[in-house]
Coordinates of all heavy atoms in Angstrom, one line a residue:
M244 N 0.9 -1.2 0.0 CA 0.0 0.0 0.0 C 0.9 1.3 0.1 O 1.9 1.3 0.7 CB -0.9 0.0 1.2 CG -2.1 -0.7 1.1 SD -3.1 -0.4 2.6 CE -4.4 -1.6 2.3
G245 N 0.5 2.2 -0.8 CA 1.2 3.5 -0.8 C 0.8 4.4 0.4 O 0.0 4.0 1.1
M246 N 1.6 5.5 0.5 CA 1.4 6.3 1.6 C 0.0 6.9 1.6 O -0.8 7.0 2.7 CB 2.4 7.5 1.5 CG 2.2 8.5 2.6 SD 3.3 10.0 2.5 CE 2.7 10.7 1.0
F247 N -0.5 7.4 0.4 CA -1.9 7.9 0.4 C -3.0 6.9 0.7 O -4.0 7.2 1.4 CB -2.2 8.5 -1.0 CG -1.4 9.8 -1.3 CD1 -0.5 9.7 -2.3 CD2 -1.6 10.8 -0.5 CE1 0.2 10.9 -2.6 CE2 -0.8 12.0 -0.8 CZ 0.0 12.0 -1.8
T248 N -2.8 5.6 0.3 CA -3.7 4.5 0.6 C -3.8 4.3 2.0 O -4.8 4.1 2.7 CB -3.3 3.2 -0.2 OG1 -3.3 3.6 -1.6 CG2 -4.4 2.2 0.0
N249 N -2.6 4.3 2.7 CA -2.6 4.1 4.2 C -3.2 5.2 4.9 O -4.0 5.0 5.9 CB -1.1 4.0 4.7 CG -0.5 2.6 4.4 OD1 -1.1 1.6 4.4 ND2 0.8 2.6 4.2
N250 N -3.2 6.4 4.4 CA -3.8 7.6 5.1 C -5.3 7.5 4.9 O -6.0 7.8 5.7 CB -3.3 9.0 4.5 CG -1.9 9.3 4.9 OD1 -1.4 8.9 5.8 ND2 -1.3 10.1 4.2
Q251 N -5.7 6.9 3.7 CA -7.2 6.8 3.3 C -7.7 5.7 4.2 O -8.9 5.9 4.8 CB -7.3 6.5 1.9 CG -7.0 7.5 1.0 CD -6.7 7.2 -0.5 OE1 -6.8 5.9 -0.7 NE2 -6.3 8.0 -1.3
K252 N -6.9 4.6 4.5 CA -7.4 3.6 5.4 C -7.5 4.1 6.8 O -8.6 3.8 7.5 CB -6.6 2.3 5.3 CG -7.0 1.1 6.0 CD -6.2 0.0 5.6 CE -6.7 -1.4 6.2 NZ -6.9 -1.5 7.6
N253 N -6.5 4.8 7.2 CA -6.5 5.3 8.7 C -7.7 6.3 8.9 O -8.4 6.2 9.9 CB -5.2 6.0 9.0 CG -4.1 5.0 9.1 OD1 -4.3 3.8 9.4 ND2 -2.8 5.6 8.9
S254 N -8.0 7.0 7.8 CA -9.1 8.0 7.9 C -10.4 7.3 8.0 O -11.3 7.5 8.8 CB -9.2 8.9 6.7 OG -10.3 9.7 6.6
A255 N -10.6 6.2 7.2 CA -11.8 5.3 7.2 C -12.0 4.7 8.6 O -13.1 4.5 9.1 CB -11.8 4.3 6.1
E256 N -10.8 4.2 9.1 CA -11.0 3.5 10.5 C -11.5 4.5 11.4 O -12.2 4.2 12.3 CB -9.5 3.0 10.8 CG -8.9 1.9 10.0 CD -9.5 0.5 10.3 OE1 -9.9 0.3 11.4 OE2 -9.4 -0.3 9.4
D257 N -10.9 5.8 11.4 CA -11.4 6.7 12.4 C -12.9 7.1 12.2 O -13.5 7.2 13.2 CB -10.5 8.0 12.2 CG -10.7 9.0 13.3 OD1 -10.5 8.6 14.5 OD2 -10.9 10.1 13.0
I258 N -13.2 7.3 11.0 CA -14.7 7.5 10.7 C -15.6 6.4 11.3 O -16.6 6.6 11.8 CB -14.9 7.7 9.2 CG1 -14.2 9.0 8.7 CG2 -16.4 7.7 8.8 CD1 -14.7 10.3 9.2
Y259 N -15.1 5.2 11.0 CA -15.9 4.0 11.4 C -16.2 4.0 12.9 O -17.2 3.9 13.4 CB -15.2 2.7 11.0 CG -16.1 1.5 11.4 CD1 -17.2 1.2 10.8 CD2 -15.8 0.8 12.6 CE1 -18.1 0.2 11.2 CE2 -16.5 -0.2 13.1 CZ -17.7 -0.5 12.4 OH -18.5 -1.5 12.9
I260 N -15.0 4.2 13.6 CA -15.0 4.2 15.1 C -15.9 5.4 15.6 O -16.7 5.1 16.6 CB -13.6 4.3 15.7 CG1 -12.9 2.9 15.4 CG2 -13.7 4.4 17.2 CD1 -11.4 2.9 15.6
K261 N -15.7 6.6 15.1 CA -16.4 7.7 15.7 C -17.8 7.9 15.1 O -18.7 8.5 15.9 CB -15.4 9.0 15.4 CG -14.2 9.0 16.2 CD -13.4 10.3 15.8 CE -12.1 10.2 16.7 NZ -11.3 11.4 16.3
N262 N -18.0 7.7 13.8 CA -19.3 8.0 13.4 C -20.2 6.9 12.9 O -21.4 7.0 13.0 CB -19.1 8.9 12.0 CG -18.3 10.0 12.3 OD1 -17.2 10.3 11.9 ND2 -18.9 11.0 13.1
V263 N -19.7 5.8 12.4 CA -20.5 4.6 11.9 C -20.8 3.6 13.1 O -22.0 3.2 13.3 CB -19.7 3.9 10.8 CG1 -20.6 2.7 10.4 CG2 -19.5 4.8 9.6
K264 N -19.8 3.2 13.8 CA -20.0 2.2 14.9 C -21.1 2.6 15.8 O -22.0 1.7 16.3 CB -18.7 1.9 15.6 CG -18.8 0.7 16.4 CD -17.4 0.2 16.9 CE -17.6 -1.0 17.8 NZ -16.3 -1.6 18.2
P265 N -21.3 3.9 16.3 CA -22.3 4.1 17.2 C -23.6 4.0 16.6 O -24.7 4.0 17.4 CB -22.0 5.6 17.6 CG -20.4 5.9 17.4 CD -20.2 5.0 16.2
L266 N -23.7 4.0 15.3 CA -25.1 3.9 14.7 C -25.5 2.4 14.4 O -26.7 2.1 14.1 CB -25.1 4.6 13.3 CG -24.8 6.1 13.3 CD1 -24.7 6.6 11.9 CD2 -25.8 6.8 14.0
I267 N -24.5 1.5 14.5 CA -24.8 0.1 14.2 C -25.7 -0.6 15.2 O -25.5 -0.3 16.5 CB -23.4 -0.7 14.2 CG1 -22.5 -0.2 13.1 CG2 -23.7 -2.2 13.9 CD1 -23.0 -0.3 11.7
K268 N -26.6 -1.2 14.8 CA -27.6 -1.9 15.6 C -27.5 -3.5 15.5 O -27.3 -3.9 14.4 CB -29.0 -1.5 15.4 CG -29.3 -0.1 15.5 CD -30.7 0.3 15.0 CE -30.8 1.8 15.2 NZ -31.6 2.4 14.2
H269 N -27.5 -4.1 16.6 CA -27.3 -5.6 16.7 C -28.6 -6.2 17.2 O -28.6 -6.8 18.3 CB -26.2 -6.0 17.5 CG -24.8 -5.5 16.9 ND1 -24.2 -6.1 15.9 CD2 -24.0 -4.5 17.2 CE1 -23.1 -5.5 15.5 NE2 -22.9 -4.5 16.2
D270 N -29.7 -6.2 16.5 CA -30.9 -6.7 17.0 C -31.5 -7.7 16.1 O -32.7 -8.2 16.2 CB -31.9 -5.6 17.3 CG -32.3 -4.7 16.1 OD1 -31.9 -5.2 14.9 OD2 -32.9 -3.7 16.2
G271 N -30.9 -8.2 15.0 CA -31.3 -9.2 14.1 C -32.2 -8.7 13.0 O -32.6 -9.4 12.1
M272 N -32.6 -7.4 13.0 CA -33.4 -6.7 12.1 C -32.4 -6.1 10.9 O -31.4 -6.0 11.1 CB -34.3 -5.7 12.7 CG -35.2 -6.2 13.8 SD -36.2 -5.1 14.6 CE -37.4 -4.7 13.3
T273 N -33.1 -5.8 9.8 CA -32.4 -5.1 8.8 C -32.3 -3.6 8.9 O -33.3 -3.1 9.3 CB -33.1 -5.4 7.4 OG1 -33.2 -6.9 7.2 CG2 -32.4 -4.8 6.2
H274 N -31.2 -3.0 8.8 CA -30.9 -1.7 9.0 C -30.1 -1.1 7.8 O -29.5 -1.9 7.1 CB -30.2 -1.4 10.2 CG -30.9 -1.9 11.5 ND1 -32.0 -1.1 12.1 CD2 -30.8 -3.0 12.3 CE1 -32.5 -1.7 13.1 NE2 -31.9 -2.9 13.2
V275 N -29.9 0.2 7.8 CA -29.1 0.9 6.8 C -28.1 1.8 7.5 O -28.5 2.4 8.6 CB -29.9 1.6 5.7 CG1 -30.7 0.6 4.9 CG2 -30.7 2.7 6.3
V276 N -27.1 2.2 6.8 CA -26.2 3.2 7.2 C -25.7 3.9 5.9 O -25.5 3.2 4.9 CB -25.0 2.8 8.1 CG1 -24.0 1.8 7.3 CG2 -24.2 3.9 8.6
M277 N -25.7 5.3 5.9 CA -25.3 6.0 4.7 C -24.0 6.6 4.9 O -23.7 7.2 6.0 CB -26.4 7.1 4.5 CG -26.0 8.0 3.3 SD -26.1 7.4 1.6 CE -27.9 7.5 1.4
I278 N -23.0 6.4 4.0 CA -21.7 7.0 4.0 C -21.6 8.0 2.9 O -21.9 7.7 1.8 CB -20.7 5.9 3.9 CG1 -20.9 4.6 4.8 CG2 -19.3 6.4 4.0 CD1 -20.8 4.9 6.2
N279 N -21.2 9.2 3.4 CA -20.8 10.3 2.3 C -19.4 10.4 2.1 O -18.7 10.3 3.2 CB -21.4 11.6 2.8 CG -22.9 11.6 3.0 OD1 -23.6 11.1 2.2 ND2 -23.4 12.2 4.0
S280 N -18.9 10.5 0.9 CA -17.5 10.5 0.6 C -17.3 11.2 -0.7 O -18.2 11.5 -1.4 CB -16.9 9.1 0.5 OG -17.5 8.3 -0.4
F281 N -16.0 11.5 -1.0 CA -15.6 12.2 -2.2 C -14.6 11.3 -2.9 O -13.8 10.6 -2.3 CB -14.9 13.5 -1.8 CG -15.9 14.6 -1.4 CD1 -16.0 14.9 -0.1 CD2 -16.7 15.3 -2.3 CE1 -16.9 15.9 0.4 CE2 -17.6 16.3 -1.9 CZ -17.6 16.6 -0.6
S282 N -14.4 11.6 -4.1 CA -13.4 11.0 -5.0 C -12.1 11.6 -4.7 O -12.0 12.5 -3.9 CB -13.7 11.2 -6.5 OG -13.7 12.5 -6.8
K283 N -11.1 11.1 -5.4 CA -9.7 11.7 -5.2 C -9.9 13.1 -5.8 O -10.7 13.5 -6.6 CB -8.7 10.8 -6.2 CG -8.4 9.5 -5.7 CD -7.3 8.8 -6.4 CE -7.9 8.3 -7.8 NZ -7.0 7.5 -8.5
W284 N -8.9 13.8 -5.3 CA -8.8 15.3 -5.8 C -8.7 15.3 -7.3 O -9.4 16.2 -8.0 CB -7.7 16.0 -5.1 CG -7.5 17.4 -5.6 CD1 -8.5 18.3 -5.5 CD2 -6.3 18.0 -6.2 NE1 -7.9 19.5 -6.0 CE2 -6.7 19.4 -6.4 CE3 -5.2 17.6 -6.6 CZ2 -5.9 20.3 -7.0 CZ3 -4.3 18.5 -7.1 CH2 -4.6 19.8 -7.3
I285 N -7.8 14.6 -7.8 CA -7.6 14.6 -9.3 C -8.2 13.2 -9.8 O -7.5 12.2 -9.6 CB -6.2 14.9 -9.8 CG1 -5.8 16.2 -9.3 CG2 -6.1 14.7 -11.3 CD1 -4.3 16.5 -9.5
N286 N -9.4 13.2 -10.3 CA -10.0 11.9 -10.7 C -10.3 12.0 -12.2 O -11.4 11.8 -12.7 CB -11.3 11.8 -10.0 CG -11.8 10.4 -10.1 OD1 -11.2 9.5 -10.4 ND2 -13.1 10.2 -9.8
Q287 N -9.2 12.2 -13.0 CA -9.4 12.4 -14.5 C -8.9 11.3 -15.2 O -8.8 11.4 -16.5 CB -8.7 13.7 -14.8 CG -9.0 14.8 -14.1 CD -10.2 15.6 -14.5 OE1 -10.5 15.6 -15.7 NE2 -10.9 16.2 -13.6
I288 N -8.5 10.2 -14.6 CA -7.8 9.1 -15.4 C -8.7 7.8 -15.3 O -9.5 7.7 -14.4 CB -6.5 8.8 -14.8 CG1 -6.5 8.3 -13.3 CG2 -5.5 9.9 -14.9 CD1 -5.2 7.7 -12.8
F289 N -8.5 7.0 -16.2 CA -9.2 5.7 -16.3 C -8.5 4.7 -15.4 O -7.2 4.5 -15.5 CB -9.2 5.1 -17.7 CG -9.9 3.8 -17.8 CD1 -11.2 3.6 -17.6 CD2 -9.1 2.6 -18.0 CE1 -11.9 2.3 -17.8 CE2 -9.6 1.4 -18.1 CZ -11.0 1.2 -17.9
G290 N -9.2 4.2 -14.4 CA -8.5 3.2 -13.5 C -9.4 3.1 -12.2 O -10.4 3.7 -12.1
A291 N -8.8 2.3 -11.3 CA -9.6 2.0 -10.1 C -9.6 3.3 -9.2 O -8.6 4.0 -9.1 CB -9.0 0.9 -9.3
E292 N -10.7 3.6 -8.6 CA -10.8 4.8 -7.7 C -10.4 4.2 -6.3 O -11.2 3.7 -5.5 CB -12.4 5.2 -7.7 CG -12.8 6.5 -6.9 CD -11.7 7.5 -6.5 OE1 -11.0 7.3 -5.5 OE2 -11.6 8.5 -7.2
D293 N -9.0 4.3 -6.1 CA -8.5 3.7 -4.9 C -8.9 4.4 -3.6 O -9.1 3.8 -2.6 CB -6.9 3.6 -5.0 CG -6.2 5.0 -5.1 OD1 -6.9 5.9 -5.7 OD2 -5.2 5.2 -4.7
K294 N -9.1 5.7 -3.6 CA -9.6 6.4 -2.4 C -10.9 5.8 -1.9 O -11.1 5.4 -0.7 CB -9.7 7.8 -2.5 CG -10.2 8.6 -1.3 CD -10.3 10.1 -1.5 CE -10.9 10.7 -0.3 NZ -11.4 12.1 -0.6
Y295 N -11.9 5.8 -2.8 CA -13.3 5.4 -2.5 C -13.2 3.9 -2.1 O -13.8 3.4 -1.1 CB -14.2 5.6 -3.6 CG -15.6 5.0 -3.4 CD1 -16.5 5.8 -2.6 CD2 -16.0 3.8 -4.0 CE1 -17.8 5.2 -2.5 CE2 -17.3 3.3 -3.8 CZ -18.2 4.1 -3.0 OH -19.4 3.5 -2.9
T296 N -12.6 3.1 -2.9 CA -12.4 1.6 -2.6 C -11.9 1.4 -1.3 O -12.4 0.5 -0.6 CB -11.6 0.9 -3.8 OG1 -12.2 1.2 -5.1 CG2 -11.4 -0.5 -3.6
T297 N -10.7 2.0 -1.0 CA -10.0 1.8 0.3 C -10.9 2.1 1.4 O -11.1 1.4 2.4 CB -8.7 2.5 0.3 OG1 -7.9 2.1 -0.7 CG2 -8.0 2.3 1.7
Q298 N -11.6 3.3 1.4 CA -12.3 3.8 2.5 C -13.6 3.0 2.7 O -14.0 2.5 3.8 CB -12.7 5.2 2.3 CG -11.4 6.1 2.5 CD -11.6 7.6 2.2 OE1 -12.6 7.9 1.5 NE2 -10.7 8.4 2.8
I299 N -14.3 2.7 1.6 CA -15.5 1.9 1.8 C -15.3 0.5 2.2 O -16.0 -0.1 3.0 CB -16.5 2.0 0.5 CG1 -16.9 3.4 0.3 CG2 -17.6 1.0 0.6 CD1 -17.8 4.0 1.4
D300 N -14.3 -0.1 1.5 CA -13.9 -1.5 1.9 C -13.6 -1.6 3.4 O -13.9 -2.5 4.2 CB -12.7 -2.0 1.1 CG -12.4 -3.4 1.4 OD1 -13.3 -4.3 1.1 OD2 -11.3 -3.7 1.9
S301 N -12.9 -0.5 4.0 CA -12.6 -0.5 5.4 C -13.8 -0.4 6.3 O -13.8 -1.1 7.2 CB -11.6 0.7 5.6 OG -11.3 0.7 7.1
I302 N -14.7 0.4 5.9 CA -16.0 0.4 6.6 C -16.8 -1.0 6.6 O -17.1 -1.4 7.6 CB -16.9 1.5 6.0 CG1 -16.3 2.9 6.1 CG2 -18.3 1.5 6.6 CD1 -16.2 3.5 7.5
L303 N -16.8 -1.6 5.4 CA -17.4 -2.8 5.3 C -16.7 -4.0 6.1 O -17.3 -4.8 6.8 CB -17.5 -3.3 3.8 CG -18.4 -2.4 2.9 CD1 -18.2 -2.9 1.4 CD2 -19.9 -2.6 3.3
T304 N -15.4 -3.9 6.1 CA -14.6 -4.8 6.8 C -14.9 -4.7 8.3 O -15.1 -5.7 9.0 CB -13.1 -4.7 6.5 OG1 -12.9 -4.9 5.1 CG2 -12.3 -5.7 7.3
N305 N -14.9 -3.5 8.8 CA -15.1 -3.3 10.2 C -16.5 -3.7 10.7 O -16.7 -4.2 11.6 CB -14.8 -1.8 10.6 CG -13.4 -1.5 10.7 OD1 -12.8 -2.1 11.6 ND2 -12.9 -0.6 10.0
M306 N -17.5 -3.5 9.8 CA -18.8 -3.8 10.0 C -18.9 -5.3 10.2 O -19.6 -5.8 11.0 CB -19.8 -3.3 8.9 CG -20.0 -1.8 9.0 SD -21.2 -1.3 7.7 CE -22.7 -1.9 8.3
Q307 N -18.3 -6.0 9.3 CA -18.3 -7.5 9.3 C -17.6 -8.0 10.5 O -18.0 -9.1 11.2 CB -17.8 -8.1 8.0 CG -18.8 -7.8 6.8 CD -18.2 -8.2 5.5 OE1 -18.4 -9.4 5.1 NE2 -17.5 -7.4 4.9
N308 N -16.5 -7.4 10.8 CA -15.8 -7.8 12.1 C -16.6 -7.5 13.3 O -16.3 -8.1 14.4 CB -14.4 -7.0 12.2 CG -13.4 -7.5 11.3 OD1 -13.4 -8.7 10.8 ND2 -12.4 -6.7 10.9
D309 N -17.5 -6.6 13.3 CA -18.3 -6.4 14.3 C -19.7 -7.1 14.3 O -20.7 -6.7 14.8 CB -18.7 -4.8 14.4 CG -17.5 -4.1 15.1 OD1 -16.8 -4.7 15.8 OD2 -17.4 -2.9 14.9
D310 N -19.7 -8.2 13.6 CA -20.7 -9.2 13.3 C -22.0 -8.7 12.6 O -23.1 -9.1 12.9 CB -21.2 -9.8 14.7 CG -20.1 -10.5 15.4 OD1 -19.3 -11.2 14.7 OD2 -20.0 -10.3 16.7
C311 N -21.7 -7.7 11.7 CA -22.8 -7.3 10.8 C -22.8 -8.1 9.5 O -21.7 -8.4 8.9 CB -22.7 -5.8 10.4 SG -23.0 -4.8 11.8
E312 N -24.0 -8.6 9.0 CA -24.1 -9.2 7.7 C -24.4 -8.2 6.8 O -25.5 -7.6 6.8 CB -25.0 -10.3 7.9 CG -25.3 -11.1 6.5 CD -26.5 -12.1 6.6 OE1 -27.1 -12.3 7.7 OE2 -26.8 -12.6 5.4
I313 N -23.7 -8.0 5.7 CA -23.9 -7.0 4.7 C -24.8 -7.6 3.7 O -24.6 -8.7 3.1 CB -22.6 -6.5 4.0 CG1 -21.5 -6.1 5.0 CG2 -22.9 -5.6 2.8 CD1 -21.9 -4.9 5.9
L314 N -26.0 -7.0 3.5 CA -27.0 -7.4 2.7 C -27.0 -6.9 1.2 O -27.3 -7.5 0.2 CB -28.5 -7.3 3.3 CG -28.6 -8.0 4.6 CD1 -30.0 -7.6 5.2 CD2 -28.4 -9.5 4.6
D315 N -26.6 -5.6 1.2 CA -26.7 -4.9 0.0 C -25.9 -3.6 0.1 O -25.8 -3.1 1.2 CB -28.2 -4.6 -0.4 CG -28.2 -4.1 -1.9 OD1 -27.4 -4.5 -2.7 OD2 -29.3 -3.5 -2.2
I316 N -25.3 -3.1 -1.1 CA -24.7 -1.9 -1.2 C -25.1 -1.0 -2.4 O -25.1 -1.7 -3.5 CB -23.1 -2.0 -1.3 CG1 -22.7 -2.9 0.0 CG2 -22.4 -0.7 -1.3 CD1 -21.2 -3.4 -0.2
K317 N -25.5 0.1 -2.3 CA -26.0 0.9 -3.4 C -25.2 2.2 -3.2 O -24.9 2.7 -2.1 CB -27.4 1.2 -3.3 CG -28.3 -0.1 -3.6 CD -29.8 0.3 -3.6 CE -30.7 -0.7 -4.1 NZ -30.6 -2.1 -3.6
F318 N -25.0 2.8 -4.4 CA -24.4 4.2 -4.3 C -24.9 5.1 -5.4 O -25.4 4.6 -6.4 CB -22.8 4.1 -4.2 CG -22.2 4.2 -5.6 CD1 -21.6 5.2 -6.1 CD2 -22.2 3.0 -6.4 CE1 -21.1 5.3 -7.3 CE2 -21.6 3.0 -7.7 CZ -21.0 4.1 -8.1
D319 N -24.7 6.3 -5.3 CA -24.9 7.3 -6.4 C -23.8 8.3 -6.3 O -23.1 8.4 -5.2 CB -26.3 7.9 -6.3 CG -26.5 8.9 -5.1 OD1 -25.6 9.1 -4.3 OD2 -27.7 9.4 -5.1
S320 N -23.6 9.1 -7.4 CA -22.5 10.1 -7.4 C -23.1 11.4 -7.8 O -24.1 11.5 -8.6 CB -21.4 9.6 -8.3 OG -21.9 9.5 -9.7
L321 N -22.5 12.4 -7.3 CA -22.8 13.8 -7.8 C -21.5 14.5 -8.2 O -20.5 14.4 -7.6 CB -23.3 14.6 -6.5 CG -24.5 13.9 -5.7 CD1 -24.6 14.5 -4.3 CD2 -25.7 14.2 -6.5
K322 N -21.7 15.1 -9.4 CA -20.5 15.8 -10.0 C -20.3 17.1 -9.5 O -21.3 17.7 -8.9 CB -20.6 15.8 -11.5 CG -20.6 14.4 -12.1 CD -20.3 14.5 -13.6 CE -20.2 13.1 -14.2 NZ -19.2 12.3 -13.8
N323 N -19.2 17.8 -9.6 CA -19.0 19.1 -9.3 C -19.1 19.4 -7.8 O -19.8 20.4 -7.4 CB -19.8 20.2 -10.1 CG -19.6 19.9 -11.6 OD1 -18.5 19.7 -12.1 ND2 -20.7 19.9 -12.3
Q324 N -18.5 18.6 -7.0 CA -18.6 18.7 -5.6 C -17.3 19.2 -5.0 O -16.4 19.2 -5.6 CB -19.0 17.3 -4.9 CG -20.3 16.8 -5.4 CD -21.5 17.7 -5.0 OE1 -21.7 18.0 -3.9 NE2 -22.2 18.2 -6.1
G325 N -17.3 19.6 -3.7 CA -16.1 20.1 -3.0 C -16.0 21.5 -3.1 O -16.7 22.2 -3.9
M326 N -15.0 22.1 -2.5 CA -14.8 23.5 -2.4 C -14.6 24.1 -3.8 O -15.1 25.2 -4.2 CB -13.6 23.9 -1.5 CG -13.4 25.4 -1.3 SD -12.0 25.9 -0.4 CE -12.3 24.9 1.1
F327 N -13.9 23.5 -4.6 CA -13.4 23.9 -6.0 C -14.3 23.2 -7.1 O -14.1 23.4 -8.3 CB -12.0 23.8 -6.3 CG -11.1 24.5 -5.3 CD1 -10.4 23.7 -4.3 CD2 -11.1 25.9 -5.3 CE1 -9.7 24.4 -3.4 CE2 -10.3 26.5 -4.3 CZ -9.6 25.8 -3.4
K328 N -15.3 22.5 -6.7 CA -16.2 21.9 -7.7 C -15.5 20.9 -8.6 O -15.8 20.7 -9.8 CB -17.1 23.0 -8.4 CG -17.8 23.9 -7.7 CD -19.0 23.3 -6.9 CE -19.7 24.3 -6.2 NZ -20.3 23.9 -5.0
D329 N -14.5 20.3 -8.2 CA -13.6 19.5 -9.0 C -13.5 18.0 -8.6 O -12.8 17.2 -9.0 CB -12.2 20.0 -9.1 CG -11.5 20.1 -7.7 OD1 -12.2 19.9 -6.7 OD2 -10.3 20.4 -7.7
M330 N -14.5 17.7 -7.7 CA -14.6 16.3 -7.2 C -16.0 15.7 -7.5 O -16.9 16.5 -7.6 CB -14.3 16.3 -5.6 CG -12.9 16.8 -5.3 SD -12.7 16.9 -3.5 CE -12.3 15.3 -3.2
E331 N -16.1 14.4 -7.3 CA -17.4 13.7 -7.3 C -17.7 13.4 -5.8 O -16.8 12.9 -5.1 CB -17.3 12.4 -8.1 CG -17.2 12.6 -9.7 CD -17.3 11.3 -10.4 OE1 -18.5 10.9 -10.6 OE2 -16.3 10.9 -10.8
G332 N -18.8 13.5 -5.5 CA -19.4 13.2 -4.2 C -20.1 11.8 -4.3 O -20.8 11.6 -5.3
F333 N -20.0 10.9 -3.4 CA -20.6 9.6 -3.4 C -21.4 9.4 -2.1 O -21.0 9.8 -1.0 CB -19.5 8.5 -3.4 CG -18.6 8.5 -4.5 CD1 -17.2 8.6 -4.4 CD2 -19.1 8.4 -5.8 CE1 -16.3 8.7 -5.5 CE2 -18.2 8.4 -6.9 CZ -16.8 8.6 -6.8
H334 N -22.6 8.9 -2.3 CA -23.4 8.3 -1.2 C -23.4 6.9 -1.3 O -23.8 6.3 -2.4 CB -24.9 9.0 -1.3 CG -25.0 10.4 -1.3 ND1 -25.6 11.1 -2.2 CD2 -24.4 11.3 -0.4 CE1 -25.5 12.4 -1.9 NE2 -24.8 12.6 -0.8
T335 N -23.1 6.2 -0.3 CA -23.1 4.8 -0.2 C -24.1 4.4 0.8 O -23.9 4.6 2.0 CB -21.6 4.2 0.0 OG1 -20.7 4.8 -1.0 CG2 -21.7 2.6 0.0
L336 N -25.1 3.6 0.4 CA -26.0 3.1 1.3 C -25.8 1.6 1.6 O -25.8 0.8 0.6 CB -27.5 3.2 0.8 CG -28.6 2.8 1.7 CD1 -28.8 3.7 2.9 CD2 -30.0 2.7 0.9
I337 N -25.4 1.2 2.8 CA -25.1 -0.1 3.2 C -26.2 -0.7 3.9 O -26.7 -0.2 5.0 CB -23.8 -0.1 4.0 CG1 -22.7 0.5 3.3 CG2 -23.5 -1.7 4.3 CD1 -21.4 0.7 4.1
T338 N -26.9 -1.8 3.5 CA -28.0 -2.5 4.1 C -27.3 -3.6 4.9 O -26.6 -4.5 4.2 CB -29.1 -2.9 3.1 OG1 -29.6 -1.8 2.4 CG2 -30.2 -3.6 3.9
Y339 N -27.7 -3.7 6.1 CA -27.0 -4.7 6.9 C -28.0 -5.4 7.9 O -29.0 -4.9 8.1 CB -25.8 -4.2 7.6 CG -26.1 -3.3 8.8 CD1 -26.2 -3.9 10.1 CD2 -26.4 -2.0 8.5 CE1 -26.6 -3.0 11.1 CE2 -26.7 -1.1 9.5 CZ -26.8 -1.6 10.9 OH -27.2 -0.7 11.8
K340 N -27.6 -6.5 8.5 CA -28.4 -7.2 9.5 C -27.5 -7.5 10.6 O -26.3 -7.9 10.5 CB -28.9 -8.4 8.9 CG -30.0 -9.1 9.7 CD -30.5 -10.3 8.9 CE -32.0 -10.3 9.2 NZ -32.6 -11.5 8.5

């Protein structure tokens, strides 16, 4: 993993612990959690979106480690986001049990 990927993973771990984990319910019922995120600053090339992939994968891994069963993942994207309108915004809806 590169330096930026490690930073992205650390950031996602922190977000999970502080923001996502307190929302997780363990009652056997189906629930959702919405994650808001942004693309890389310069996202003009054809290739894997490593920032989003690293961060969402970290959230999903942590949820599964905390005994959540991931049932579905949906996302949408919004163009021209961020302070300089040069990023894509992502909403990721994770359905879990």
Side-chain angles (χ1 to χ4, degrees):
M244 275 189 188
M246 178 181 72
F247 291 117
T248 304
N249 283 331
N250 288 340
Q251 294 159 0
K252 187 172 189 302
N253 291 338
S254 172
E256 296 278 336
D257 192 50
I258 294 294
Y259 180 77
I260 291 167
K261 291 180 180 175
N262 300 113
V263 178
K264 190 171 182 169
L266 300 174
I267 299 296
K268 298 175 182 151
H269 295 284
D270 59 11
M272 299 177 75
T273 300
H274 298 281
V275 297
V276 62
M277 174 74 76
I278 308 295
N279 296 319
S280 57
F281 287 103
S282 64
K283 293 185 283 191
W284 179 58
I285 299 175
N286 192 21
Q287 309 275 329
I288 60 171
F289 177 74
E292 185 21 277
D293 63 328
K294 178 183 177 198
Y295 176 81
T296 301
T297 300
Q298 291 177 334
I299 293 299
D300 185 63
S301 180
I302 298 290
L303 293 170
T304 298
N305 278 301
M306 288 178 72
Q307 292 173 90
N308 286 338
D309 284 338
D310 297 323
C311 294
E312 177 187 355
I313 306 301
L314 302 174
D315 194 22
I316 302 166
K317 292 184 170 49
F318 89 101
D319 67 3
S320 62
L321 303 165
K322 296 198 180 290
N323 304 318
Q324 299 296 301
M326 185 182 305
F327 300 108
K328 307 291 186 212
D329 57 353
M330 299 171 80
E331 285 184 82
F333 299 120
H334 298 128
T335 304
L336 183 68
I337 302 168
T338 305
Y339 71 94
K340 195 175 218 182

